[in-house]
Amino acid sequence: MGEPAAPMMPRPSVPEADRLLGVKHPVLSHGYVVLVDYMGNDAAIVQAARVSYGAGTRSVRDDRGLIRYLLRHRHTTPFEMVEFKFLIRLPIYVARQIIRHRTASVNEHSARYSVMPDEFDLPPVEDVRRQSARNRQGRGEALPVEASEAFRTDLDRISREAYAAYERALESGVARETARLVLPLAYYTEWYWKVDLHNLLHFLSLRLDPHAQEETRRYAAEIARLVRVVCPVAYEAFEEFTLQGLTLARREQVALQALLAGRTPEAACAEAGLPLTREDGRPMQSGEGVEFLEKLERLRSGSGSGPTV
Ligand SMILES: Cc1cc2nc3c(=O)[nH]c(=O)nc-3n(C[C@H](O)[C@H](O)[C@H](O)COP(=O)(O)OP(=O)(O)OC[C@H]3O[C@@H](n4cnc5c(N)ncnc54)[C@H](O)[C@@H]3O)c2cc1C
């Protein structure tokens, strides 16, 4: 037995997280998130960082301070030392968004190899809302209940008909890889999803954001709750500096200076070149000026600038 190459520490484990391993956390009508395994915790981040900063840093910064420093200054690789593996059951329309996060390793249920289960997502009536007037990608006001219910009835009927066609195709000998073409986006798939903490926090910053689709946000929120158990200090720093942090672009800083000098928000935006009205004089619904006013509102209301889970 030779000397250990680096200072050894016991294999990190978090008893609260160990108790959650294998537990199904329901999301949407038939989905769930399961923490299958994890490697590392807050201590693993600190251990990696102290290799680069060298001995003696302990006296300068405690572990919590070090993790917060690393996150604030985007010293990201120590966060890559922590890994998470999840089993996730999710509708295909949510999977299509989550698969875009290329830094995760994914192993998905094969609908070429196995028969797809008869499970589709049927959003509750309160989730079937009007197209947002401001956000072209999002939902807005409630619809009359009859309109929401009519959509749900159509979705339910079409999904059942599609599954019946899928079964007929399988029975008549059509290959599974071809028969699946009749199944709509609301059907569920399942995958293992493994990702390191750095890229997972990037995923959460995008998919917990109010601009992300609500259903995808619910998966992100469930994942975030599990991440917080494994790495409470890193997650707290992420909430503080990333989720709840506020960035100000150059023109926004000019507008803020004008505000501090006593100008109205509208005058400050005009001075900074942040547009609030169109050429025809109508107020803008979106854009840099509107987003700056939203930041001001968040500051005024004290609601923070990002979601918490
Ligand atoms: C609210 C919202 C709306 C969206 N709307 C659309 C849409 O309408 N249409 C659409 O197609 N997509 C859309 N997306 C997906 C989006 O464009 C990104 O593909 C997705 O969020 C993944 O982000 P990412 O590339 O940063 O993450 P990851 O793929 O996890 O990558 C993490 C980071 O790794 C680096 N990286 C990874 N791969 C490469 C590479 N090949 N080259 C260079 N750097 C790389 C980048 O720094 C990247 O930020 C939307 C996403 C959100 C959150």
Side-chain angles (χ1 to χ4, degrees):
M1 287 261 292
E3 287 289 305
M8 293 303 290
M9 64 180 199
R11 188 178 176 281
S13 79
V14 181
E16 300 81 24
D18 291 348
R19 281 194 284 279
L20 290 172
L21 291 178
V23 175
K24 279 186 186 174
H25 302 276
V27 188
L28 306 184
S29 47
H30 301 288
Y32 50 75
V33 171
V34 175
L35 177 63
V36 175
D37 206 355
Y38 65 93
M39 182 182 81
N41 57 5
D42 284 327
I45 302 168
V46 170
Q47 183 197 36
R50 293 207 191 280
V51 167
S52 59
Y53 288 128
T57 43
R58 186 171 292 279
S59 57
V60 180
R61 280 195 193 90
D62 65 7
D63 290 356
R64 181 167 175 271
L66 177 58
I67 288 177
R68 292 169 75 83
Y69 173 88
L70 295 170
L71 206 123
R72 231 170 37 245
H73 293 274
R74 290 186 287 179
H75 182 156
T76 51
T77 40
F79 296 91
E80 292 175 28
M81 301 300 155
V82 185
E83 293 264 349
F84 291 83
K85 184 159 72 179
F86 298 99
L87 176 64
I88 306 178
R89 184 155 185 71
L90 67 180
I92 295 167
Y93 71 92
V94 174
R96 278 183 65 169
Q97 297 183 342
I98 295 184
I99 199 72
R100 300 298 303 278
H101 295 269
R102 296 160 286 180
T103 45
S105 303
V106 180
N107 203 89
E108 186 173 5
H109 165 95
S110 170
R112 299 178 68 196
Y113 193 81
S114 311
V115 174
M116 292 280 281
D118 185 11
E119 283 177 356
F120 58 92
D121 190 40
L122 187 62
V125 70
E126 62 274 16
D127 285 354
V128 182
R129 301 200 303 275
R130 225 177 258 290
Q131 173 62 43
S132 164
R134 295 197 43 213
N135 173 3
R136 288 192 187 187
Q137 285 197 326
R139 261 164 281 186
E141 309 284 303
L143 276 167
V145 173
E146 312 79 62
S148 303
E149 285 294 10
F151 171 80
R152 295 179 77 251
T153 305
D154 279 348
L155 177 60
D156 187 61
R157 190 192 67 253
I158 289 165
S159 302
R160 288 177 196 284
E161 285 173 5
Y163 200 82
Y166 178 63
E167 284 183 312
R168 274 197 306 277
L170 293 177
E171 275 160 27
S172 68
V174 176
R176 288 185 288 270
E177 67 177 7
T178 310
R180 65 177 167 173
L181 268 62
V182 297
L183 294 178
L185 292 177
Y187 268 84
Y188 277 77
T189 184
E190 187 168 274
W191 62 31
Y192 279 93
W193 196 70
K194 184 176 79 69
V195 65
D196 66 62
L197 180 60
H198 165 59
N199 285 294
L200 183 46
L201 294 180
H202 175 67
F203 163 83
L204 292 176
S205 71
L206 292 170
R207 300 299 179 177
L208 286 174
D209 189 276
H211 294 96
Q213 174 147 1
E214 276 184 36
E215 287 77 8
T216 304
R217 258 151 56 195
R218 289 181 201 162
Y219 279 90
E222 213 49 64
I223 291 169
R225 280 189 267 276
L226 291 163
V227 172
R228 193 170 55 187
V229 176
V230 177
C231 297
V233 177
Y235 194 83
E236 181 200 40
F238 167 68
E239 266 190 340
E240 171 87 22
F241 300 115
T242 308
L243 278 188
Q244 302 272 303
L246 200 61
T247 54
L248 288 178
R250 186 184 55 81
R251 285 187 214 202
E252 291 178 319
Q253 293 172 37
V254 173
L256 191 61
Q257 282 159 1
L259 272 176
L260 291 172
R263 245 81 85 212
T264 64
E266 290 70 22
C269 283
E271 205 167 311
L274 292 170
L276 290 173
T277 49
R278 297 174 191 280
E279 278 177 12
D280 62 9
R282 284 189 298 144
M284 294 177 81
Q285 299 289 327
S286 57
E288 292 178 37
V290 173
E291 284 170 27
F292 176 67
L293 293 187
E294 284 171 357
K295 287 181 187 177
L296 285 183
E297 184 49 37
R298 287 203 301 252
L299 283 172
R300 264 201 212 99
S301 65
S303 63
S305 54
T308 50
V309 296

